């Protein structure tokens, strides 16, 4: 009897310690290069941080609509002395130094295939070549890939090539053209922050903060409840933005189905919804105190046939965090969440992190793509777009603390 009991105790002890050891090895293996997990567990690195509880951590993100340098944008660029720099040559209007990251929806795959603009126009099968990436990477930190065109060049093969090119130029990305790839709907991206000490504002790359962005390509089918539930998993731990592509092209008012589906995303835990698919600016709304911007429109694009397709909204979301022990852990985690599919959600769960509270403020800029070049808009375009977005009324209804 006692022999049997001792055997149970020994087997149980071996099982427990084996499980703990395997968990430790698993954590060490989750793409944490040159990182000592003991520091995280013992919080030594947190204690050595130069950020104090009296400081504030700020993350200012500038969101753009569609970016596309294929078809006629490429023709215009090649006809210019600036060549590949041409589509980006007026982006300094938006004062990049004021923001921690720029995020846009990339409306094409990136491959080495050369397709003339007439063929792209006739087939609506888009491609962007990689020679623009040295310039694009100067401006954009993150691209969304969940849309109708990132599958245009050989489906998954072209999509993988796109990701490989973005990796090469250190541009993070999120989303998939096919929602069936459940684990690739949402991604944690890691972005540099600013530190506010005694009212002094300082941008730094020493600290990075992880946020979740989910992309839903709903052009041909709506997301299932299982697919929408991916939002909830990430929203438990991270500020969570959702970028859906859904609805008819060109109407400046969202339809009932858009409202229904985008509101579901808020109900699942999203903090902000930022759409783009209409190729024009659509009205925004406040839903349960949170922002739904149904479409930002075209930013860098070759459509020139009307004012609505030439103008776009540019959304600034400014998140401000109070520093505490929990936030310090997120800043440590942020150092190792810059690669695609790097298990940052799992890491946050295993470290038992608590979703940080933050204040969020919004500002809306207006872009004008007339005369074939994206730039900051002037009047009367600014007033037209702000009115189209119903921005003043919406802004007054948004909750600041999330």
């Amino acid at each position: 009897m006692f022999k049997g009991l001792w055997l149970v105790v020994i087997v149980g002890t071996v099982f427990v310690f084996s499980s703990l050891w395997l968990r430790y090895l698993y954590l060490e293996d989750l793409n944490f290069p040159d990182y000592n997990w003991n520091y995280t567990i013992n919080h030594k690195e947190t204690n050595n941080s130069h950020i104090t509880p009296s400081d504030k951590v700020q993350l200012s993100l500038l969101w753009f609509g569609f970016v596309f340098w294929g078809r006629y944008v490429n023709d215009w660029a090649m006809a210019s002395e600036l060549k590949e720099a041409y589509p980006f040559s007026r982006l300094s209007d938006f004062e990049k130094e004021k923001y921690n990251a720029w995020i846009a929806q990339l409306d094409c795959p990136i491959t080495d295939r050369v397709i003339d603009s007439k063929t792209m126009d006739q087939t609506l099968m888009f491609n962007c070549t990689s020679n623009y990436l040295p310039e694009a990477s100067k401006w954009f930190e993150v691209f969304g890939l969940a849309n109708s065109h990132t599958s245009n060049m050989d489906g998954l093969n072209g999509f993988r090539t796109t990701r490989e090119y973005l990796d090469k130029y250190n541009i993070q990305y999120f989303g998939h053209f096919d929602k069936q790839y459940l684990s690739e709907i949402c991604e944690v991206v890691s972005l540099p922050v600013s530190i506010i000490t005694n009212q002094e504002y300082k941008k730094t790359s020493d600290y990075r903060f992880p946020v979740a962005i989910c992309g839903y390509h709903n052009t041909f089918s709506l997301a299932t409840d299982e697919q929408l539930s991916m939002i909830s998993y990430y929203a438990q731990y991270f500020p969570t933005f959702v970028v859906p592509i859904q609805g008819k092209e060109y109407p400046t008012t969202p339809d009932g189905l858009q409202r229904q589906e985008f509101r579901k995303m808020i109900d699942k835990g999203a903090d902000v919804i930022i759409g783009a698919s209409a190729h024009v600016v659509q009205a925004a709304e406040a839903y349960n105190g949170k922002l739904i911007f149904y479409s930002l429109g075209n930013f860098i694009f070759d459509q020139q046939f009307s004012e609505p397709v030439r103008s776009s909204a540019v959304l600034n979301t400014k998140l401000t965090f109070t520093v505490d022990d929990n936030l310090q852990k997120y800043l440590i985690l942020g150092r190792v969440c810059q690669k695609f599919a790097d298990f940052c959600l799992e890491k946050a769960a295993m470290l038992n992190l608590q979703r940080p509270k933050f204040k969020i403020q919004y500002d809306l800029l207006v872009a004008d793509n007339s005369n074939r070049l994206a730039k900051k808009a002037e009047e009367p375009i600014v007033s037209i777009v702000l009115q189209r977005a119903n921005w003043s009324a919406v802004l007054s209804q948004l909750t600041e603390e999330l």
Side-chain angles (χ1 to χ4, degrees):
M1 176 179 176
F2 289 106
K3 288 183 179 179
L5 182 59
W6 275 109
L7 182 61
V8 170
V9 171
I10 292 170
V11 170
T13 303
V14 169
F15 176 78
V16 169
F17 279 97
S18 297
S19 298
L20 290 172
W21 179 245
L22 288 172
R23 177 178 179 270
Y24 179 82
L25 290 177
Y26 175 66
L27 288 170
E28 277 201 314
D29 194 44
L30 290 183
N31 296 326
F32 276 68
D34 301 323
Y35 193 76
N36 188 338
W37 264 93
N38 292 324
Y39 283 178
T40 300
I41 296 167
N42 296 324
H43 313 305
K44 292 180 181 178
E45 203 162 323
T46 296
N47 294 333
N48 292 332
S49 171
H50 296 296
I51 301 178
T52 68
S54 62
D55 297 336
K56 301 287 185 183
V57 171
Q58 195 170 89
L59 183 61
S60 188
L61 307 177
L62 203 60
W63 301 81
F64 298 85
F66 281 130
V67 167
F68 172 54
W69 56 78
R71 202 166 58 178
Y72 299 112
V73 175
N74 180 63
D75 291 352
W76 303 335
M78 293 303 101
S80 164
E81 293 181 355
L82 297 175
K83 301 303 180 186
E84 288 86 355
Y86 171 80
F88 314 99
S89 59
R90 286 289 301 274
L91 299 196
S92 58
D93 286 8
F94 297 93
E95 300 174 285
K96 182 170 174 58
E97 65 277 4
K98 290 185 176 181
Y99 307 96
N100 299 108
W102 284 17
I103 305 170
Q105 184 72 218
L106 182 66
D107 205 27
C108 54
I110 303 172
T111 76
D112 293 325
R113 292 181 62 177
V114 177
I115 302 172
D116 64 86
S117 52
K118 183 178 180 181
T119 300
M120 276 195 261
D121 208 5
Q122 290 174 341
T123 63
L124 293 181
M125 301 292 280
F126 292 172
N127 186 56
C128 290
T129 50
S130 61
N131 50 312
Y132 286 85
L133 283 171
E135 292 296 327
S137 62
K138 295 175 183 177
W139 301 98
F140 298 98
E141 278 73 25
V142 185
F143 278 142
L145 303 179
N147 60 64
S148 304
H149 290 292
T150 50
S151 63
N152 284 175
M153 293 293 110
D154 301 321
L156 280 173
N157 289 332
F159 190 70
R160 292 190 189 101
T161 301
T162 302
R163 286 176 166 176
E164 289 168 2
Y165 272 122
L166 295 177
D167 285 336
K168 180 179 178 181
Y169 286 91
N170 296 314
I171 300 175
Q172 298 177 75
Y173 47 86
F174 64 91
H176 197 291
F177 65 82
D178 187 348
K179 298 186 296 293
Q180 298 300 319
Y181 291 85
L182 200 65
S183 64
E184 299 182 18
I185 290 174
C186 301
E187 176 65 12
V188 177
V189 298
S190 182
L191 304 170
V193 299
S194 299
I195 309 299
I196 303 173
T197 304
N198 298 325
Q199 306 300 317
E200 182 181 346
Y201 175 89
K202 180 184 178 183
K203 287 178 66 175
T204 176
S205 57
D206 293 339
Y207 298 97
R208 305 181 74 90
F209 195 89
V211 301
I213 314 180
C214 304
Y216 286 88
H217 175 210
N218 288 357
T219 303
F220 307 116
S221 65
L222 299 180
T224 65
D225 188 67
E226 182 185 25
Q227 291 163 349
L228 287 174
S229 292
M230 297 305 297
I231 297 169
S232 302
Y233 298 138
Y234 285 82
Q236 291 180 76
Y237 298 100
F238 303 101
T240 301
F241 299 85
V242 177
V243 182
I245 299 297
Q246 180 184 325
K248 296 180 180 178
E249 295 184 349
Y250 310 124
T252 56
T253 303
D255 59 43
L257 200 56
Q258 279 176 283
R259 294 184 188 276
Q260 171 187 299
E261 296 302 306
F262 290 17
R263 289 173 180 177
K264 284 182 183 178
M265 296 170 181
I266 294 288
D267 292 338
K268 290 292 186 182
D271 295 302
V272 183
I273 309 294
I274 306 168
S277 58
H279 290 281
V280 297
V281 173
Q282 290 184 324
E285 72 166 337
Y287 175 68
N288 291 341
K290 296 182 177 182
L291 176 63
I292 300 178
F293 210 116
Y294 284 95
S295 178
L296 294 179
N298 294 329
F299 181 55
I300 296 175
F301 216 82
D302 60 359
Q303 292 178 327
Q304 294 282 295
F305 56 80
S306 68
E307 175 273 317
V309 301
R310 293 192 301 266
S311 57
S312 67
V314 180
L315 178 67
N316 177 25
T317 56
K318 184 167 66 176
L319 285 64
T320 303
F321 304 87
T322 300
V323 176
D324 56 19
D325 287 345
N326 185 63
L327 191 79
Q328 298 269 21
K329 297 172 191 175
Y330 272 95
L331 294 173
I332 293 172
L333 181 64
R335 300 177 188 176
V336 289
C337 292
Q338 298 177 59
K339 300 297 183 183
F340 179 72
D342 49 16
F343 298 98
C344 267
L345 173 63
E346 292 82 355
K347 294 166 187 174
M350 290 176 179
L351 290 171
N352 197 30
L353 299 185
Q354 305 300 308
R355 173 186 155 98
K357 292 182 179 179
F358 57 92
K359 291 184 177 181
I360 184 167
Q361 296 171 294
Y362 305 91
D363 188 24
L364 197 66
L365 310 178
V366 179
D368 175 20
N369 197 28
S370 63
N371 298 318
R372 304 177 175 181
L373 199 59
K375 54 196 170 295
K376 204 167 186 178
E378 299 178 351
E379 292 292 353
I381 300 300
V382 173
S383 295
I384 291 170
V385 170
L386 292 178
Q387 184 175 5
R388 185 174 295 147
N390 195 28
W391 185 244
S392 180
V394 170
L395 191 59
S396 65
Q397 302 173 50
L398 296 174
T399 301
E400 187 176 81
E401 297 210 16
L402 295 176

